[in-house]
Amino acid sequence: MNSKKYYLSKCLILFLILSACIATTSAEPLTLTVGEGKDHLNISDALSNANNGSIILVSDGIYTEEDLVIDKRITLISENGSQTTTIKANPDSDTLITITVNNVTINGFTIEGDLETFEDGLLGRNGISLESVSSITITNNEIFGFYDALVTDQSGNNFIANNTFLNNSMGVFFDCSMNNTMLNNTFESHLTTFGVDGPALENFVHVVENNTIENKTIYYWVDMADAKIPSDAGQVYVINSTNITVKDLVLTHGYDGVAFVETDNSRIENVTTFSSSYGISLIGSNNNTLSDNIILQCDYDGVYVVESHNSILSNNIILLCGDEGIYIGRSDNATLSSNTVVLSNDNGIFIDESNDSTLNENTIAACNHNGIRIDHSQNNSLTNNIVTYGGLDSEHIETAGILLSGSDNNTLINNSADSNLGTGIAVVSSDNNILRRNTANENSLGGIWIASSDNNTLTDNLATDNYYGDLLSLGVNIDTALFGDDSHIDSSITNILANKYANDNSLDNLFSEAINSYPATFENTLHSRTAASRKNPVREDVGLQSVSINGGARIILPGSGIFVVEGENNTLTRNMAFNNQYDFCSALSYNLEVEKLMLIKDQAQMSFTVDEGIVLLSGNESSDVSLPGKTNVNGYIDMLAVIDPDIGYSSVDAEINIVLPTKLEFKFLYDDSGMSSNGESSIRLYQLNGTKWTSIPNSSLNTNANYVAAALDWQYITEYDSLDIGINSPTPYYGMVTLALFKDPEPPRSSGSLPQSLKDSTKTDLPITNDGEITKDTVVKSKNSDATLTLYKGTKAIDVSGNPVNIIRVTPFSYGPAGIPADATDHGLYFKFEPSGTTFSQDVMITMEFNPEDFEGRTPVIYTYTSEDGWIALETTVDWENGRATAMISHFSFYALFGTDAEPVKEASFEPTSETIETVTSEGNSAEESTDEKGLGFISWVVAIVLVIGLGIVYGTKKKKDGGL
C-alpha cells in the first residue's frame, strides 16, 4: 500500500512539473510577421492569430485595411519605421484602428486616411480610437487624412509621443479621459489640432509637453499660479490655476483657442483665435476677464462660459461662429460690454440659466436666429445694446432681435432691435420684466411681442415701420454670401467691423480668409464629429409661432408694432407705435393697462384697459373724409375688434375659447398747444360711419388732463371684412371703426402767424437714475437755442400721473393759446415745454434769448399761461448785454416773452461760469459735457476776489450756472 502511494505521489509531482513547463513555454511572446513571404499578408490576419502579449512585426509596404479591432494585448510595430510602412484605410472603413483592451502598443507607422475626401468635405474616416482603455502607447507614427486622427474615449494613463499629425480634421482629442501623457508631437495643417473635454476636473488633468501646432507650442498648464503664457503659444489650456495672464497671441486651429478650467482671477487680453471649435472657453472658472480679443470662424461658440461666475467680457469681436457668438451657461454675475458679434449661425449672445448678468453697449448683427437670447435666466440687465439683421435663416423668421424666454425680473433699457427679419423684441413665457426706452423699428415680423407673459412693464418704447414682408424680400439666409454688391446688409456689417479693424493690417489675411470660407463653414456637417458640442443637450430655439393658445390655437399677426397675447397684468406706459402694418394688437390678454400709447408720431395717444378678446389699433395722419366746419385735432385711429358674425357681438368661440368684448373704455389724448380756451372746449370725439362722421354719445372732455373719455360699444361698428390673424378656427372676422377728435377752427389773429410745425420741436433724454433723479446739471435747448431749460443735479421731474420724466420736448410757436396780456407787446416768442403738467422737486431755470433792439423802451418779461388764470408774469432777470431773460419755474406750461412797461425785476450782466453742465441740443443726441480743462475760469474768479478785497470794494454779485445763457 505504501509503495503504491509513493508511486502516485511521484506521478503527481511529475505532472505538475510538466504543466509548469508547458505554461512557461506558452507565456513567451509570440511574434507574428506580416509582409511578402511572411507569416501573414495583412495585419488583420495577424491580429486574428495573435494572443495576448503577441508582437506583430510588419515589413515595409502599404497595407490597406478595414476597421482593425485590437482586442488583445499586443504590440504592433513596423520593421523599419514610418517612412517605409503604411497602414491605409479601406474606402469602406469607418474607424481604421479601434483599441478595446489595455496594454497595446502601436509604433512606427504611416497611418493614412482618405485625404481627398478630407479636402473635399471634412468627412474623412477616423484614425485610432481608444475606447475605455489604459496603458496604450502610440509612438513614432505619422497619421494623416482622417476626420479624427486619435481619440481617447473614457481612457486614461495612455502614452502618446513623437507622432506627426498632418491634414486631419481633428488631431488628438481627449474625451472624458484622465491622466494621459502627450509628448513631443507635431501638428500641421489641421482644421483642429488638439482638444480636451469632459464633465469633471479630472478629465482635464493630463501631462502635455513639448508639442507644437504650426511650429508654435501647445501650452498645457496644470496647478500653476502667478504666471504669463509665453509669446510662442499656438494653443493654451490652463487647468486648476490662478492669476494667469494670456496676452498678445495669435492662435489657430485648436479645439479651444484658449481654455481656462477651474482657473480663477486670470485674464485673456488681445488674443486672436482663428478656425477653432471654441475660441475661448471658461469652464468652472471664476473672476476672469476677457478683453480686446478677436475670435474668427468657430465651429461652435466664439466664447463659451459655463459654471463660471463673475466673468467680465469687454471689447471683444466675434465673427462667424457655427453656434453662439457668446454662450453664458449656468454662470452668474457676468458682465458683457462693448462686444461685437457678427454672423453667428444660432444666437449672437445666449444667456442660459444664468442670473444677475449685465449686457451693455454690445453690437450684434446678422445672426441666424436671435441676436440676444435670455433663456430661463433671472435679474439680468440689458442696456444700450444694438441688435440688427437677425433671423437670417428664412426658416426661422419667428426669431427675435432680443428674446426673453422663460425669464423673469430682467430689465431692458435703451436697446435698439431694428431691421431684423423676425421680431424686434419678444418676451415669451416671462414675467415681471421691465422694458424702457427701447426701439424696435423696421422689423419684418413685428416690433415688440409679449406672449404668455404676466406683470411686465413697458415704458417709453418705440416701435415703428414694422411691416411683414419688407425684409423678407432680401432673400438672405445663412447659406448665402452677404458680401455682394447688392446687399445693404453688406455695407452695414462692413461698417460695424471697420470700426474695430481700422488700421490693423495684421488681421487682414485672417479676416479675408474667414469671409471667403463663410458659406462653406455652415454648409458642412461639423456637429456630427466625435468631439460634439459641449452644450448637451442643446436647448432648441423658442419660436414665437410655437406659442400655444388654449392647447393648440395660436395667434400670429405679422407686422405689429406692439403685440400682447395671452398674458395678465401687463402695463404699457408712454410707448410709441406708429407706421406699422398694425400699430397695436392685444389678444386674450387680461387686465392689460395701456397709458398714453402714441399711435401717430407726435400726435394721437390713447389710454385704455383690455380684458380678453382681440383688439387692434392703427394710427393715420389723414382721412379721405372731412368734417365740414371742424378741424381735426391730432389724426385718426382705426380700431378693430375680432368677432364672429354668425354668433354675435359678444360670444364665446367653443374651439378657441375667445371671449369677445362688447365695449372698450378708453381715453383719446391730445396736445392743447396753440389752442384757445374756446377751441379746446369744442373738442368732440367722432366715429366714421361710411362717408359721414358722427359724434360718439356719452364721451366726456377733460381739458385739465387733455383727453376725451368714451366707452365704445361694438354695436356701433358698421364695417365687416375678413382678417387672417393666424387663428386655427373658423374664419374670423373683424369690425372696424375709425375714430378722431375734431374741434372748432381757431379764429384769425390780428398779429402773429400759424404755429410752427412740430418738426421744429426738440425731444431729449434726461440722465436719470431708476427712481427719476437727474444725475448731473443738465441744459435742454430748443432747436435754435433761443429757449433753454436748466435742471440741477438731484432734481426729480414727475408727470401728472406721478411717473418719473425722462424725456423733455420743447416746441416753438408763433402765438399763444389766448391773446396777450394788457399793455404788453407780442414779439412771437412762445414755447411749449412737455410733458404738460410736469412738476419739479426744486425750481428749474428757463431762459429765453431776445434781440435788445426789438424791446427798446420795453422790458422783457417771461409769462406763463394757465387755462384758469390766463397769462401770469414771472419774476424775470434780464441780461441786456447778451439778450437773455431768465426765470425760475416749478412746473411745465406754455411760456412767452412779452415786452411790458414795467421795470425789470432784476437786471444782470454776466457770463456763464466754467462749471460742468450736460447740454442736450436735439433729439437723439447723447449728452455732452462742457468743461474748462485748464481751470482758467476758476483762476479768474480767484483773481477777481483778491482784487475786490484789496480795493475794499464790495460788489453784490449773483453766480449763475451755465445754461447756454
Side-chain angles (χ1 to χ4, degrees):
M1 180 67 68
N2 291 335
S3 61
K4 187 175 181 179
K5 288 184 178 179
Y6 174 74
Y7 172 76
L8 291 174
S9 298
K10 289 182 65 175
C11 290
L12 179 59
I13 293 171
L14 179 61
F15 173 76
L16 293 174
I17 293 173
L18 290 172
S19 298
C21 291
I22 293 171
T24 303
T25 301
S26 63
E28 292 179 357
L30 174 64
T31 299
L32 305 175
T33 59
V34 178
E36 290 290 338
K38 304 297 183 180
D39 297 337
H40 304 279
L41 291 177
N42 55 57
I43 298 172
S44 60
D45 287 346
L47 284 172
S48 299
N49 290 279
N51 299 314
N52 286 326
S54 292
I55 297 173
I56 298 177
L57 181 63
V58 183
S59 299
D60 296 351
I62 298 175
Y63 300 88
T64 301
E65 305 284 352
E66 178 181 352
D67 293 344
L68 299 174
V69 177
I70 301 178
D71 55 4
K72 301 167 186 176
R73 297 189 297 274
I74 58 99
T75 296
L76 180 62
I77 186 170
S78 68
E79 187 174 0
N80 295 305
S82 63
Q83 298 301 311
T84 58
T85 313
T86 299
I87 304 174
K88 185 175 181 179
N90 184 292
D92 296 327
S93 176
D94 180 18
T95 298
L96 180 54
I97 302 173
T98 301
I99 302 174
T100 62
V101 68
N102 301 335
N103 299 298
V104 172
T105 296
I106 299 176
N107 180 74
F109 293 93
T110 291
I111 301 174
E112 179 182 335
D114 188 340
L115 188 57
E116 291 183 1
T117 304
F118 161 75
E119 291 175 343
D120 291 341
L122 312 181
L123 296 177
R125 295 149 185 84
N126 298 319
I128 302 174
S129 177
L130 280 58
E131 298 185 356
S132 301
V133 295
S134 64
S135 303
I136 306 301
T137 300
I138 310 292
T139 54
N140 301 307
N141 301 288
E142 183 174 318
I143 305 173
F144 70 91
F146 290 99
Y147 189 72
D148 292 326
L150 194 161
V151 174
T152 71
D153 182 11
Q154 301 183 67
S155 300
N157 301 299
N158 302 293
F159 185 76
I160 303 164
N162 302 309
N163 301 286
T164 297
F165 296 89
L166 178 67
N167 288 328
N168 300 289
S169 178
M170 169 69 79
V172 175
F173 190 73
F174 296 161
D175 189 14
C176 299
S177 300
M178 300 177 291
N179 299 317
N180 292 309
T181 298
M182 191 174 80
L183 304 176
N184 303 315
N185 298 281
T186 299
F187 297 87
E188 296 180 3
S189 301
H190 291 266
L191 290 181
T192 307
T193 53
F194 169 65
V196 184
D197 208 349
L201 175 61
E202 62 186 12
N203 299 128
F204 291 88
V205 177
H206 304 280
V207 176
V208 180
E209 297 178 357
N210 299 320
N211 302 280
T212 62
I213 170 175
E214 307 293 346
N215 298 314
K216 292 184 176 182
T217 301
I218 299 175
Y219 283 96
Y220 200 98
W221 285 0
V222 180
D223 297 330
M224 296 285 288
D226 307 322
K228 179 181 178 181
I229 295 291
S231 61
D232 66 334
Q235 187 179 12
V236 176
Y237 280 87
V238 183
I239 317 300
N240 198 40
S241 300
T242 186
N243 192 28
I244 304 299
T245 298
V246 183
K247 187 175 182 179
D248 302 333
L249 303 175
V250 176
L251 312 173
T252 62
H253 301 286
Y255 180 73
D256 299 278
V258 181
F260 284 173
V261 180
E262 299 207 14
T263 294
D264 302 334
N265 303 305
S266 299
R267 62 217 56 85
I268 303 170
E269 302 171 357
N270 195 35
V271 171
T272 298
T273 74
F274 175 68
S275 193
S276 300
S277 293
Y278 296 87
I280 297 174
S281 297
L282 303 180
I283 302 171
S285 300
N286 303 318
N287 304 307
N288 296 294
T289 300
L290 283 62
S291 61
D292 302 301
N293 302 291
I294 297 174
I295 299 169
L296 302 177
Q297 192 172 321
C298 297
D299 295 345
Y300 301 114
D301 302 338
V303 177
Y304 174 81
V305 180
V306 65
E307 295 180 354
S308 300
H309 306 302
N310 305 311
S311 300
I312 298 175
L313 284 66
S314 63
N315 297 303
N316 301 288
I317 299 173
I318 300 101
L319 172 66
L320 290 167
C321 294
D323 281 347
E324 330 297 344
I326 299 174
Y327 177 78
I328 309 292
R330 302 186 304 280
S331 302
D332 298 337
N333 297 303
T335 300
L336 282 64
S337 62
S338 302
N339 300 287
T340 299
V341 181
V342 179
L343 287 169
S344 290
N345 196 29
D346 281 347
N347 305 288
I349 297 175
F350 187 0
I351 308 297
D352 188 12
E353 297 182 358
S354 300
N355 307 319
D356 303 302
S357 295
T358 299
L359 281 67
N360 182 48
E361 295 185 350
N362 300 284
T363 300
I364 302 97
C367 294
N368 211 18
H369 294 165
N370 306 289
I372 299 175
R373 176 180 172 186
I374 311 296
D375 202 305
H376 292 84
S377 301
Q378 323 300 324
N379 302 309
N380 298 286
S381 173
L382 283 67
T383 58
N384 302 309
N385 300 286
I386 297 173
V387 183
T388 187
Y389 298 122
L392 292 183
D393 186 345
S394 59
E395 296 181 358
H396 293 83
I397 60 170
E398 69 270 22
T399 56
I402 301 175
L403 170 64
L404 269 61
S405 175
S407 299
D408 305 334
N409 301 301
N410 299 285
T411 302
L412 280 66
I413 299 177
N414 285 334
N415 300 286
S416 171
D418 302 335
S419 301
N420 297 282
L421 267 73
T423 301
I425 300 174
V427 180
V428 180
S429 301
S430 301
D431 304 333
N432 302 303
N433 298 287
I434 296 173
L435 282 68
R436 187 165 68 241
R437 298 198 302 274
N438 302 286
T439 66
N441 305 326
E442 299 182 354
N443 301 287
S444 180
L445 196 59
I448 300 174
W449 284 33
I450 311 297
S452 302
S453 302
D454 303 333
N455 301 304
N456 296 285
T457 301
L458 283 70
T459 307
D460 296 321
N461 299 287
L462 175 64
T464 68
D465 302 300
N466 296 285
Y467 273 82
Y468 184 63
D470 283 1
L471 289 179
L472 296 183
S473 63
L474 294 174
V476 177
N477 57 58
I478 203 67
D479 296 324
T480 302
L482 299 180
F483 295 87
D485 294 335
D486 297 331
S487 175
H488 68 276
I489 293 183
D490 169 27
S491 59
S492 298
I493 295 173
T494 300
N495 291 335
I496 290 170
L497 295 173
N499 294 331
K500 301 284 187 176
Y501 282 96
N503 302 319
D504 194 344
N505 297 324
S506 64
L507 296 173
D508 286 347
N509 292 335
L510 285 180
F511 179 69
S512 299
E513 185 177 346
I515 294 301
N516 291 335
S517 64
Y518 157 65
T521 298
F522 299 110
E523 291 173 357
N524 296 318
T525 55
L526 296 177
H527 297 183
S528 64
R529 65 173 50 194
T530 302
S533 170
R534 284 175 168 144
K535 298 190 295 296
N536 188 23
V538 180
R539 184 177 290 116
E540 294 296 326
D541 277 331
V542 176
L544 295 179
Q545 296 198 35
S546 67
V547 176
S548 174
I549 304 298
N550 295 318
R554 65 191 183 197
I555 296 178
I556 296 300
L557 191 60
S560 300
I562 299 176
F563 187 13
V564 184
V565 55
E566 199 181 50
E568 296 184 7
N569 304 314
N570 294 294
T571 301
L572 282 65
T573 305
R574 295 193 308 274
N575 297 285
M576 295 169 282
F578 44 81
N579 295 336
N580 303 285
Q581 197 161 350
Y582 303 96
D583 291 328
F584 172 85
C585 177
S586 169
L588 289 84
S589 295
Y590 298 86
N591 193 32
L592 171 62
E593 296 185 5
V594 180
E595 290 289 332
K596 297 183 178 179
L597 173 65
M598 182 176 288
L599 297 166
I600 304 174
K601 185 177 182 181
D602 299 326
Q603 297 187 52
Q605 292 180 309
M606 290 194 75
S607 297
F608 51 91
T609 299
V610 176
D611 265 320
E612 302 181 300
I614 301 175
V615 177
L616 292 81
L617 302 174
S618 289
N620 296 289
E621 295 184 1
S622 62
S623 172
D624 294 334
V625 181
S626 62
L627 180 59
K630 297 290 183 179
T631 299
N632 179 257
V633 174
N634 56 358
Y636 307 82
I637 293 178
D638 293 333
M639 183 179 295
L640 302 89
V642 176
I643 63 175
D644 185 339
D646 295 332
I647 299 178
Y649 294 103
S650 178
S651 62
V652 177
D653 187 312
E655 180 170 347
I656 58 175
N657 193 31
I658 295 178
V659 179
L660 301 169
T662 57
K663 61 176 59 179
L664 178 70
E665 296 181 358
F666 63 92
K667 298 176 182 178
F668 199 135
L669 292 91
Y670 63 88
D671 183 351
D672 62 359
S673 299
M675 292 185 187
S676 65
S677 297
N678 291 335
E680 184 177 10
S681 64
S682 70
I683 294 175
R684 296 292 183 272
L685 177 64
Y686 288 80
Q687 167 190 328
L688 183 61
N689 288 323
T691 59
K692 182 180 179 181
W693 289 100
T694 59
S695 178
I696 293 180
N698 301 319
S699 60
S700 60
L701 172 66
N702 187 323
T703 57
N704 291 326
N706 294 357
Y707 67 78
V708 175
L712 185 65
D713 191 328
W714 293 121
Q715 296 185 36
Y716 284 99
I717 296 173
T718 59
E719 297 184 11
Y720 303 102
D721 201 354
S722 62
L723 174 69
D724 182 9
I725 63 169
I727 301 179
N728 297 330
S729 67
T731 304
Y733 278 67
Y734 69 84
M736 181 181 75
V737 60
T738 299
L739 305 174
L741 297 177
F742 289 94
K743 61 181 284 291
D744 293 340
E746 293 291 335
R749 296 176 179 271
S750 58
S751 62
S753 59
L754 293 175
Q756 292 175 243
S757 170
L758 285 173
K759 69 181 182 180
D760 293 325
S761 68
T762 60
K763 185 175 66 176
T764 58
D765 292 331
L766 295 180
I768 63 174
T769 62
N770 289 334
D771 62 355
E773 186 173 294
I774 297 173
T775 60
K776 61 181 70 176
D777 291 355
T778 302
V779 173
V780 176
K781 294 186 178 183
S782 64
K783 185 174 182 180
N784 296 321
S785 299
D786 43 6
T788 63
L789 184 74
T790 303
L791 305 98
Y792 303 110
K793 179 179 179 181
T795 302
K796 287 186 178 180
I798 306 298
D799 67 14
V800 292
S801 299
N803 299 312
V805 172
N806 63 309
I807 297 176
I808 288 179
R809 182 187 296 277
V810 184
T811 305
F813 287 85
S814 297
Y815 64 81
I820 64 174
D823 301 324
T825 55
D826 186 352
H827 295 271
L829 296 174
Y830 297 87
F831 297 93
K832 176 74 171 180
F833 289 84
E834 299 172 286
S836 298
T838 296
T839 59
F840 302 96
S841 60
Q842 60 177 320
D843 286 353
V844 299
M845 182 169 65
I846 182 174
T847 300
M848 296 187 186
E849 296 193 357
F850 63 90
N851 184 350
E853 294 180 359
D854 294 341
F855 285 81
E856 186 173 355
R858 310 288 288 177
T859 299
V861 177
I862 296 177
Y863 281 74
T864 183
Y865 179 83
T866 67
S867 57
E868 294 82 6
D869 301 317
W871 291 107
I872 301 174
L874 301 179
E875 183 177 329
T876 305
T877 299
V878 179
D879 176 5
W880 286 100
E881 181 178 350
N882 295 294
R884 294 172 183 143
T886 303
M888 304 302 291
I889 62 174
S890 60
H891 63 277
F892 274 165
S893 182
F894 205 102
Y895 298 93
L897 186 67
F898 295 125
T900 70
D901 294 329
E903 292 296 322
V905 176
K906 295 181 181 179
E907 291 192 14
S909 179
F910 56 83
E911 294 296 329
T913 72
S914 59
E915 296 180 45
T916 300
I917 296 184
E918 180 178 305
T919 304
V920 186
T921 58
S922 64
E923 181 175 358
N925 286 359
S926 59
E928 299 177 358
E929 292 186 1
S930 174
T931 60
D932 183 349
E933 295 181 356
K934 295 183 179 180
L936 297 180
F938 175 76
I939 294 175
S940 299
W941 278 104
V942 173
V943 171
I945 291 172
V946 171
L947 290 175
V948 168
I949 295 173
L951 295 173
I953 301 174
V954 178
Y955 290 90
T957 61
K958 178 179 178 62
K959 181 180 179 182
K960 304 191 68 174
K961 294 184 178 289
D962 181 9
L965 304 178

